Amino acid sequence: MYMPVTSLPLPQETTNPDNILTSRIYYIKADVVQDLQTQAGNGKRTKLESFSAFLWKLVAKHAATTDSKVPNLKSKFGIVVDGRKKLTEQETSPYFGNVLSVPFGEQRIDDLTHKPLSWVADEVHKVLESSVTKDHFLNLIDWIEIRRPVPVVSRIYGAGSEDGPAFVVSSGKSFPVTRIDFGWGSPVFGSYHLPLGSRTGYVMTMPSPVVDNSAGDWIVYLHLEKGQLKFIEQEAPHVFKPIDNDYLKI
């Protein structure tokens, strides 16, 4: 699941502007998130799993429309998992610091495109199941320690130019952006940028910072290829709405 960063393929320049990674920020209304969860299994899957499945289908569908050979390739999906709770549950743990894992799975683009959203959501759930154990994180910590000082990275970030599309989803919903105050007041808005030097996309979900967000709107940060973002906006404008000052009520 992991590899030394020294094994990462060298980044390759692209002449196609649609293949350049770029960042966009959207908001998703709470009722839309709920609808995705219903479509993905009528509540059987979490909101994050349901959203991830929906986005995985869109990314695969974009790949299938851009190259006739792509459907035979596989698309990778990864998700960031926090292991601190697993290391401290039911006992006092001497572990101090963050411990994150990025498990991932891959499926044929043709399957992701044509099978129902509930099937894709089940595959997302299987990815999570592989790493939500205490043993997984203990083994990961030992494996990293053995290889110090060489940093390691999830193999999903080692996707090459001949591979299908890959992206990672993370949840920032518990990060208290609006409660941070450096002395000049709380921020109106916060976002993320993780330039990993890889072709792999990155997606972060966050709670909406608007004052009255009792409904549960999401802010979603997408770092994907320009062509993928263009396709997502065309295919799902009812889901991904570009963030603006009117929404933030500035």
Side-chain angles (χ1 to χ4, degrees):
M1 189 183 293
Y2 285 82
M3 63 193 293
V5 293
T6 51
S7 299
L8 283 173
L10 293 174
Q12 298 180 344
E13 293 187 12
T14 178
T15 56
N16 185 345
D18 280 347
N19 293 341
I20 297 174
L21 287 169
T22 190
S23 299
R24 301 270 174 85
I25 304 175
Y26 305 89
Y27 69 92
I28 305 179
K29 299 296 291 181
D31 61 329
V32 175
V33 176
Q34 184 63 54
D35 286 345
L36 290 179
Q37 187 179 26
T38 301
Q39 295 173 33
N42 201 24
K44 185 174 68 171
R45 300 298 172 220
T46 67
K47 289 182 173 66
L48 186 65
E49 288 174 328
S50 304
F51 165 78
S52 298
F54 179 75
L55 185 59
W56 200 2
K57 277 186 71 73
L58 283 175
V59 169
K61 188 175 180 181
H62 167 259
T65 59
T66 55
D67 189 339
S68 59
K69 299 178 182 179
V70 167
N72 295 319
L73 295 178
K74 291 184 177 182
S75 174
K76 292 184 176 70
F77 160 80
I79 190 164
V80 179
V81 180
D82 183 0
R84 272 193 293 189
K85 289 183 178 179
K86 289 296 176 183
L87 292 180
T88 57
E89 63 184 15
Q90 298 180 350
E91 64 181 72
T92 302
S93 172
Y95 184 80
F96 177 79
N98 289 327
V99 54
L100 302 173
S101 183
V102 188
F104 65 92
E106 60 180 3
Q107 294 296 332
R108 292 179 63 248
I109 288 175
D110 194 53
D111 289 337
L112 293 168
T113 302
H114 293 101
K115 290 191 176 182
L117 182 62
S118 58
W119 179 86
V120 183
D122 288 343
E123 296 305 311
V124 169
H125 184 72
K126 290 177 185 177
V127 172
L128 272 170
E129 278 187 324
S130 68
S131 68
V132 293
T133 66
K134 182 177 180 179
D135 284 343
H136 168 80
F137 288 100
L138 290 174
N139 290 335
L140 176 60
I141 292 169
D142 289 343
W143 190 85
I144 292 172
E145 289 293 336
I146 291 171
R147 284 156 180 79
R148 285 187 183 275
V150 179
V152 300
V153 65
S154 174
R155 285 185 179 274
I156 192 172
Y157 293 111
S161 58
E162 301 302 317
D163 297 321
F167 69 99
V168 171
V169 172
S170 181
S171 174
K173 294 183 64 188
S174 62
F175 187 67
V177 175
T178 56
R179 297 205 299 272
I180 296 174
D181 189 344
F182 291 104
W184 52 83
S186 298
V188 174
F189 180 70
S191 185
Y192 297 81
H193 180 55
L194 297 174
L196 296 170
S198 166
R199 291 184 63 252
T200 302
Y202 187 82
V203 178
M204 174 70 82
T205 64
M206 298 172 282
S208 172
V210 296
V211 176
D212 182 17
N213 187 35
S214 56
D217 291 0
W218 284 12
I219 298 293
V220 180
Y221 161 86
L222 300 184
H223 186 64
L224 299 172
E225 294 179 358
K226 284 186 177 181
Q228 292 172 334
L229 292 169
K230 188 186 305 181
F231 182 84
I232 287 169
E233 291 179 355
Q234 292 172 348
E235 288 289 308
H238 63 293
V239 176
F240 296 92
K241 298 183 180 296
I243 196 80
D244 56 24
N245 289 345
D246 289 338
Y247 176 76
L248 293 176
K249 299 177 181 178
I250 298 178

